[in-house]
Each structure stands twice: as C-alpha cells, then as structure tokens.
Amino acid sequence: MTHRAIVIDKNPDYTATLMTLEDDALPEGDVAVDVLASTLNYKDALAITNRSPVVRAFPLTPGIDLVGKVTTSHSSRFKAGDLVLLNGFGVGELYSGGLSEKAVLKSEWLIPLPTKFSAIDAMTIGTAGYTAMLSIIALEQHGIKPESGKILVTGATGGVGSFAVYLLAKLGYHVIAVTGKESAHDYLYALGAKEMIARSELSEPGKPLQKMRWMGAVDTVGSHTLVNVLAGTEYGGCVAACGLAQGYDLPGTVMPFILRNVTLRGIDSVMRPLPDRIEAWDHLAALIQPDALEHIRTLISLDDIIDAAHELIDGKITGRLVVDLSR
C-alpha cells in the first residue's frame, strides 16, 4: 500500500517534494489514521520554503495540524472509525505531520474531534484559532471580563489575530485591532473590532510607561510592539503573548510590572497538556458557528501545497489555507 505526502529532506540539498511512499515508511506510533484534512500554516510554509530552520529531523512530512479517521489503534482511548484532532506536539518539526494522506501518531497527542465541527471546519480554525482561544482563556483566568475594559489585539489580520478579534467580540469585549493594512479595516470591523490602531504606533521604541489605553491584550508580534503594549496596559491588566512576528526580543523595562501591576502571560500551544486543549476546543465549539468559517478558507490539495507555501510567505494569501485530502 502507498500514500502521497510532502517530504522535506536535506540530502545533500534542502528539498520539499510531493512523493508517493510505501506505507511501511510511516513512523512508529500507536494510532494510524487516514488524514481527512490539514492546514498550511505559516510555520509549515517556513519549513517548505526553508525560510527558517523549522524542521529538526530529516526526512520529514510537515503539517502541524490534522484531522484523521482512525484505521488502527493500540490505544484504549481510540478505536477504528474515531475522528481525532492534532495540533502541535512537535509534529511537522520533529515528527512527520499532516500534509500526507496517511499518518501514524502517538495517542497522547490526540483529542477527539468536537462533534460540532467537520474535519474541514476544525482545520479552518486550526492552531491559529486554538492559540487565540488559549490566549483569551488566560485573560479570563486573570479576571478580565468584558466590563473590565478594552482588549488590544496585535497582528490582527493574521490567523491568530483574526480569530482573537472574532472570539473576543463574540464574548462581548471591546476590541482594538492593530494592523498595518488600511485596506483590512473593513475586514476587521466585520470580525467585530470596535477601534483600529496603526501598526506604526507600536512598532518603534517608546516610553517605558504610556497612557493607559487597554485592560488586556493578545500579542502575536513581540519585540518593541509587545513592550509598547505593556506600557499602555491599565493597572492590574494582563497581556497574553503568543507570537513573535516582529521579533523574539523584549527591549523594555520592568516598570509596567512593578508600577502598574501588569501581568505578562506566555501562551504555548505546541506542548499544552490535553486537558487545556480539550477546554480550548470546547470553548471554540461553543462560540463558532461552522457557517461563519466558510468565507475565510480556501480549499487546496496536496498538489497545490508547495506553490501555496511560497505565496503564503510572500504575503499573497488572505484567510486560511485548508488542505482537503479528498481533493
């Protein structure tokens, strides 16, 4: 038996190729699945284009997200026919992932697919929506409610940012969206944003303490932007940091923390324990109607992935790229 998959190798040159493989080439694991859907995330595109050293084992199939139908299982948690969901756990970086017709996985990486969502719906949400939800849960755990004050979202037109704007608005928060694209204002207002801030207002070095403008924030950018977000956070507020689009540095001071009692919460989605994942996906199922996802996704096939990865890196893609393995 054979299956098709994107394979990244480094022998001797770095290559990403759509290949037909023997099933016995699949890695070890206790759950085998037919992959129903996956996504082409920015991290996957970095791996395919070799723009960043994402892949840490070769050869490897990228794809940090997948929904699969179990074909065989040696785990008591799953049986043949079950629909399972995977986000992260090093898949697509250290272990072969979702950009394949078949996968063999560890059961401790998997959760049941929420019954509300189809495979395509879940992959439209993907790691982007899951990470946004983890960030919002962190703000809620801090005690921030819609009546507490405004919430800022940086990188608002990106995958995580877009879902953060949408989910926060659904929960009743007053959302301020940060973007460098004036053409995206209508898009962000449609998602539920109430105000806009130009990216340039936050992307350069600023004062260590600034006018207090928001009670909480979801930051996908890092670097000077995150420092300015912290400097503008109200007393007792919380900032959930989940990305580093501008950079991984934090060139700021302790003043927001010790003078305004601001909390900086780090959000990891890759190695998050299963109970946190299930909680986040339960929240997503409660908040998102599947028909709301249709306009933000473009369906592609395995044959389209390599070209689409270059377009995604070059900023030519709007919305989510969902890989339909039935195409």
Side-chain angles (χ1 to χ4, degrees):
M1 298 287 287
T2 62
H3 65 281
R4 296 197 308 155
I6 302 294
V7 178
I8 294 175
D9 208 348
K10 196 177 184 181
N11 186 27
D13 297 322
Y14 194 102
T15 58
T17 312
L18 176 58
M19 302 178 66
T20 298
L21 304 173
E22 297 291 332
D23 288 358
D24 59 13
L26 290 163
E28 293 183 1
D30 56 350
V31 178
V33 303
D34 287 335
V35 181
L36 303 180
S38 184
T39 57
L40 185 64
N41 290 289
Y42 193 77
K43 183 181 285 188
D44 302 319
L46 288 173
I48 290 168
T49 61
N50 197 24
R51 298 288 183 93
S52 182
V54 171
V55 177
R56 291 175 281 165
F58 299 90
L60 178 139
T61 293
I64 64 174
D65 292 330
L66 69 82
V67 171
K69 185 174 183 179
V70 175
T71 54
T72 60
S73 174
H74 300 288
S75 166
S76 59
R77 295 182 58 227
F78 302 107
K79 64 183 185 303
D82 286 348
L83 299 180
V84 294
L85 171 65
L86 169 66
N87 306 113
F89 277 120
V91 172
E93 301 173 69
L94 285 169
Y95 313 103
S96 284
L99 298 182
S100 172
E101 293 174 335
K102 297 180 181 180
V104 177
L105 308 160
K106 296 181 181 181
S107 56
E108 57 262 35
W109 297 340
L110 305 172
I111 65 172
L113 177 69
T115 56
K116 183 175 182 178
F117 297 130
S118 69
I120 297 295
D121 293 335
M123 289 295 93
T124 305
I125 298 167
T127 286
Y130 156 62
T131 302
M133 195 69 249
L134 289 173
S135 301
I136 294 167
I137 289 172
L139 298 182
E140 293 177 330
Q141 289 173 342
H142 191 76
I144 296 177
K145 301 177 174 63
E147 59 269 24
S148 301
K150 299 177 180 180
I151 306 296
L152 185 80
V153 177
T154 65
T157 59
V160 177
S162 293
F163 273 106
V165 171
Y166 173 78
L167 294 167
L168 285 162
K170 290 279 286 186
L171 287 164
Y173 289 91
H174 182 114
V175 181
I176 307 171
V178 183
T179 180
K181 304 174 183 176
E182 288 190 20
S183 60
H185 285 194
D186 287 345
Y187 166 76
L188 291 168
Y189 283 128
L191 288 177
K194 298 294 186 185
E195 299 180 48
M196 301 289 163
I197 289 180
R199 180 172 58 201
S200 58
E201 287 190 35
L202 300 175
S203 60
E204 300 297 328
K207 295 179 180 179
L209 284 178
Q210 301 171 25
K211 179 181 177 181
M212 294 185 289
R213 301 164 70 184
W214 39 81
M215 190 66 189
V218 175
D219 177 64
T220 70
V221 177
S223 192
H224 291 292
T225 297
L226 176 53
V227 171
N228 287 319
V229 170
L230 291 164
T233 300
E234 295 185 26
Y235 188 92
C238 180
V239 176
C242 60
L244 40 69
Q246 186 178 7
Y248 56 77
D249 57 329
L250 191 64
T253 76
V254 299
M255 291 177 69
F257 309 121
I258 64 175
L259 297 182
R260 289 185 178 165
N261 199 31
V262 170
T263 296
L264 177 60
R265 281 284 300 268
I267 305 298
D268 167 64
S269 62
V270 176
M271 301 304 297
R272 207 61 178 248
L274 290 183
D276 291 356
R277 293 167 181 267
I278 292 169
E279 179 186 10
W281 278 96
D282 284 347
H283 278 68
L284 290 164
L287 290 169
I288 296 177
Q289 295 301 320
D291 57 4
L293 299 169
E294 294 179 6
H295 74 285
I296 68 170
R297 66 178 170 234
T298 299
L299 296 178
I300 62 174
S301 70
L302 280 176
D303 300 276
D304 303 320
I305 285 173
I306 293 175
D307 287 343
H310 288 275
E311 292 179 0
L312 182 57
I313 292 295
D314 292 339
K316 298 178 180 178
I317 301 296
T318 299
R320 299 277 292 154
L321 292 173
V322 178
V323 185
D324 182 353
L325 273 299
S326 70
R327 293 167 73 90

